[in-house]
Amino acid sequence: MGLVAWSVAAAAGAVVLSHTIVDPLVVIGYFSVVAGFVAWRLIPLLSDIFFEARLAGNDVNKAHRPLIPESLGIVVATIYLMALFLFIPFPFKQWFAQDDRTEGIRTFPFQKLGEFLAALLCLQSMVFLGFADDVFNIRWRYKLLMPTVASVPLLMGYYLSDGVTYMIVPLPFRPIFGQILNIGILYYVYIVMLTIFCTNSINILAGINGVEAGQSLIIAISIAINDLLYVNGPDKPAADVHLFSLYFMLPFIAVTTALLWHNWYPARVFVGDTYCYFAGMTFAVVGIVGHFSKTVLLMFIPQIVNFIYSTPQLFHIIPCPRHRLPRLNPETGLLEPSRAPLQELSPLGHTLARLLNGVGLTRFTYNADQTPAEMTNLTLLNLILIYTGPLHEQTLAGVVMALQVIGSGVAFTIRYKLVHFFY
Amino acid sequence: MGLVAWSVAAAAGAVVLSHTIVDPLVVIGYFSVVAGFVAWRLIPLLSDIFFEARLAGNDVNKAHRPLIPESLGIVVATIYLMALFLFIPFPFKQWFAQDDRTEGIRTFPFQKLGEFLAALLCLQSMVFLGFADDVFNIRWRYKLLMPTVASVPLLMGYYLSDGVTYMIVPLPFRPIFGQILNIGILYYVYIVMLTIFCTNSINILAGINGVEAGQSLIIAISIAINDLLYVNGPDKPAADVHLFSLYFMLPFIAVTTALLWHNWYPARVFVGDTYCYFAGMTFAVVGIVGHFSKTVLLMFIPQIVNFIYSTPQLFHIIPCPRHRLPRLNPETGLLEPSRAPLQELSPLGHTLARLLNGVGLTRFTYNADQTPAEMTNLTLLNLILIYTGPLHEQTLAGVVMALQVIGSGVAFTIRYKLVHFFY
């Protein structure tokens, strides 16, 4: 009953907004609050149907390994998409309030609308494929292909709209390449790589309560802050693209907050691959459409570190156990680094493992004869635990979020202070 | 290995097409053949993962009720969407072959691109919601809402592009309303009702092997034939919208043929709600975007008959058992009409049931005391069986397809011969 009353109130608000010319930012702000609230209410109500559909998993870092519903990312992603669907007309309202023709030519910005629709199509494709992954457990090689498929509408839209494939060459390389370089088709390759990286890098810095939604929330807030630096600025094209970015970030922040509420320690729901893909693709899309993909990448410093740090295991130079999550010590109730066995190492793997241990990036345990037995798995979560000692699960999630905040600080510094050394 | 060779050949073909200016119809024809072939090969290969995801159901009209994979519609819908994603640039190639500006104004048809993207977004939303329905078994009242949500991008796109909400008034009503009537917001209500009808009406003329894909195939071919009457005609706007419709129909015909191959008696796969929603929405979308929704509705005569005929049970005036499918008689191997009990009838239900029995639209069975015991369920499938007598399952599916062909004949007659009596 409460939900019905709220729905009526929300609909009434939407009707009022649709009959007045208000700043689209106000509208998307309103939609975001409503979407966040609906997500916050719906997630617990829908848990049952996830159990019925057998979308549930054990929370392995709790003493009793409770079974909790999985893939709730699908709920927030659906609410998010609905909010943006309903928002479509608002940025364009000024064109139907006045006569739409200047000297017989329609001034309606169909190109902008096309970008908006292509971005939504791309996001929805990724959510859809992410959900298919949660239902079908798609194999890794196909998983890597999914963002490529999902980004096709965006690539097409990009190609069709302006298709700028120039890059500004950093200073050290200008003697070779000149100031501006047209990288042509490589630009599209870059876009695809970016979507693959953004979607999967959140998916591998994952596995403890709150960490996927937590890091995504910080990234989204950072991108939104960066957008706010431009939206009232003198550079009209820059203001436009950052406004576009805000339209996507504000509802994302709202629904992610709702999801984090239920996914925070002790989690009542899991977010699923769906959420990780959805989040990563949202960031990639705004970066690509807004032509600030390098800034978006700067917000991914912890994910980049985690990915590079993980590569020896991801490429099987060092043995990679199926799960590399920190392990619960049931006696202390704290998480400790998980470990990989050091038998059957190739000479290269042997050298690399010793090197990492020597510089403090992993920690060996030794057999009775002083030969190395195991090393900590190469993930950022385990690395944190090496230096902090065992942590409570929610503390570890908090540390990751704090690192993400520091990363954003570094990103802003590079973007606005150090950039002059390069461009 | 064979599949790899085929993929390489298909990709080579696509590259050749992308480097030459060819008629987009040739391109979509090529994409359709490839999509149909890929679907035909993939459906059996993917069956296992549907079992693993517990997306499977019993085929109740076989003696041993075998368990077969369900919701394979998701596979064909995904292949279909990928084909259309990749097709996006082709209708627009002529604009990037030449200089895109006429007196400084870009001539690129962003409005057309927007319509295309909105249509794809709408279709993908419906596929996504249909799949969610297959996974979660969503309740009826929410099911009815799903096409409404999915059609939002289309409504928005429609509103933003030209937003024509005029209708031409049929002759008998012109003294009252005049020749043209602006029905305003009612037009949008009509669009939503159309999507709800198209998606659900295929879903209720369902339940025997091959019938969902079979009827959809005939409808799609009928729409495509109607399109072909215009694409080379003198009316340029009509030619454009029917070309647009063909772009959506040709790959649909291809993937549906592939699905029907595996779903035909004895079915190796079920199509799922996903497919019914996907099919219905494809027809609704081309009708709406192409402004020939009344013609599309004319192609749905068997579905309209089935829906109206079902209403006494759908609205519970007459008892509605959970399953109304024809029943297998294991002794003959033939399907016979299923029946609903006639106890606990309201006076209205009693009168209606007697009336239907009197005019031959249902058939009673009687108790020993000559009071009515049961009546055949009110579905087109049962009605056919009343008149033909028991039929083999594949014969019944064939009869429905034949009725659909007759319906299309009637539709063309009304559309091109009788229309002059009304307009």
Side-chain angles (χ1 to χ4, degrees), chain B residues 93-211:
Chain B
K93 278 201 78 170
Q94 53 173 302
W95 281 273
F96 26 101
Q98 65 197 37
D99 184 9
D100 182 24
R101 280 163 207 279
T102 306
E103 291 169 16
I105 311 256
R106 289 195 71 174
T107 57
F108 190 93
F110 284 108
Q111 184 169 355
K112 285 259 156 230
L113 176 62
E115 275 178 0
F116 202 123
L117 293 172
L120 283 176
L121 199 52
C122 177
L123 269 180
Q124 192 180 50
S125 302
M126 198 67 237
V127 171
F128 178 43
L129 291 172
F131 185 56
D133 184 22
D134 277 332
V135 173
F136 293 122
N137 291 313
I138 294 169
R139 269 176 259 163
W140 262 102
R141 53 187 149 164
Y142 297 116
K143 274 192 204 202
L144 283 179
L145 271 180
M146 295 195 311
T148 314
V149 173
S151 58
V152 167
L154 198 65
L155 295 173
M156 296 298 175
Y158 191 81
Y159 184 46
L160 290 170
S161 58
D162 41 11
V164 175
T165 56
Y166 298 99
M167 59 175 275
I168 298 165
V169 179
L171 288 173
F173 300 104
R174 287 199 191 159
I176 311 167
F177 298 112
Q179 194 177 350
I180 288 180
L181 183 67
N182 186 359
I183 56 172
I185 194 141
L186 284 181
Y187 197 88
Y188 294 91
V189 175
Y190 163 71
I191 289 179
V192 170
M193 301 289 285
L194 184 75
T195 59
I196 294 176
F197 175 76
C198 287
T199 49
N200 285 290
S201 67
I202 292 176
N203 213 12
I204 64 171
L205 183 46
I208 65 166
N209 292 177
V211 78

Side-chain angles (χ1 to χ4, degrees), chain B residues 9-325:
Chain B
V15 168
V16 169
L17 288 174
S18 70
H19 282 82
T20 42
I21 298 285
V22 287
D23 191 328
L25 258 188
V26 175
V27 180
I28 195 67
Y30 175 77
F31 280 20
S32 300
V33 171
V34 174
F37 179 77
V38 171
W40 178 73
R41 283 295 302 265
L42 270 186
I43 290 169
L45 294 177
L46 292 178
S47 295
D48 281 351
I49 71 165
F50 282 77
F51 279 119
E52 279 166 36
R54 294 173 218 246
L55 286 169
N58 291 100
D59 191 347
V60 295
N61 279 328
K62 305 290 179 293
H64 302 289
R65 299 169 57 96
L67 190 70
I68 66 176
E70 198 151 15
S71 308
L72 268 288
I74 190 72
V75 173
V76 299
T78 305
I79 293 169
Y80 174 88
L81 286 168
M82 280 177 64
L84 279 178
F85 281 3
L86 294 172
F87 178 67
I88 295 171
F90 288 96
F92 303 99
K93 278 201 78 170
Q94 53 173 302
W95 281 273
F96 26 101
Q98 65 197 37
D99 184 9
D100 182 24
R101 280 163 207 279
T102 306
E103 291 169 16
I105 311 256
R106 289 195 71 174
T107 57
F108 190 93
F110 284 108
Q111 184 169 355
K112 285 259 156 230
L113 176 62
E115 275 178 0
F116 202 123
L117 293 172
L120 283 176
L121 199 52
C122 177
L123 269 180
Q124 192 180 50
S125 302
M126 198 67 237
V127 171
F128 178 43
L129 291 172
F131 185 56
D133 184 22
D134 277 332
V135 173
F136 293 122
N137 291 313
I138 294 169
R139 269 176 259 163
W140 262 102
R141 53 187 149 164
Y142 297 116
K143 274 192 204 202
L144 283 179
L145 271 180
M146 295 195 311
T148 314
V149 173
S151 58
V152 167
L154 198 65
L155 295 173
M156 296 298 175
Y158 191 81
Y159 184 46
L160 290 170
S161 58
D162 41 11
V164 175
T165 56
Y166 298 99
M167 59 175 275
I168 298 165
V169 179
L171 288 173
F173 300 104
R174 287 199 191 159
I176 311 167
F177 298 112
Q179 194 177 350
I180 288 180
L181 183 67
N182 186 359
I183 56 172
I185 194 141
L186 284 181
Y187 197 88
Y188 294 91
V189 175
Y190 163 71
I191 289 179
V192 170
M193 301 289 285
L194 184 75
T195 59
I196 294 176
F197 175 76
C198 287
T199 49
N200 285 290
S201 67
I202 292 176
N203 213 12
I204 64 171
L205 183 46
I208 65 166
N209 292 177
V211 78
E212 302 92 349
Q215 63 186 300
S216 302
L217 183 63
I218 305 292
I219 296 174
I221 292 172
S222 306
I223 294 177
I225 291 172
N226 185 54
D227 292 333
L228 289 173
L229 300 176
Y230 291 91
V231 284
N232 283 319
D235 181 350
K236 185 78 174 72
D240 275 355
V241 297
H242 284 283
L243 199 56
F244 179 91
S245 170
L246 271 183
Y247 297 156
F248 284 78
M249 283 303 121
L250 294 183
F252 182 84
I253 290 170
V255 297
T256 295
T257 305
L259 183 60
L260 186 57
W261 175 280
H262 298 288
N263 178 237
W264 191 255
Y265 181 92
R268 278 79 65 204
V269 302
F270 285 139
V271 303
D273 290 351
T274 316
Y275 177 77
C276 300
Y277 291 142
F278 160 56
M281 202 59 157
T282 308
F283 303 141
V285 160
V286 297
I288 293 161
V289 175
H291 299 276
F292 56 88
S293 59
K294 278 178 300 204
T295 307
V296 168
L297 268 181
L298 281 175
M299 306 295 180
F300 273 73
I301 291 172
Q303 287 73 23
I304 294 171
V305 169
N306 184 54
F307 174 71
I308 295 174
Y309 179 53
S310 293
T311 45
Q313 288 192 308
L314 294 182
F315 297 143
H316 292 278
I317 299 167
I318 287 171
C320 185
R322 190 141 180 257
H323 292 289
R324 304 191 298 156
L325 297 182

Side-chain angles (χ1 to χ4, degrees), chain A residues 292-314:
Chain A
F292 57 89
S293 59
K294 277 178 299 200
T295 308
V296 168
L297 268 181
L298 281 175
M299 306 295 181
F300 274 73
I301 292 173
Q303 287 74 21
I304 293 171
V305 169
N306 184 54
F307 174 71
I308 294 174
Y309 180 53
S310 293
T311 45
Q313 287 193 309
L314 294 183

Side-chain angles (χ1 to χ4, degrees), chain A residues 54 89 96 124-125 156 160-161, chain B residues 54 89 96 124-125 156 160:
Chain A
R54 296 174 217 246
F96 26 101
Q124 192 181 50
S125 301
M156 297 298 174
L160 290 170
S161 58
Chain B
R54 294 173 218 246
F96 26 101
Q124 192 180 50
S125 302
M156 296 298 175
L160 290 170

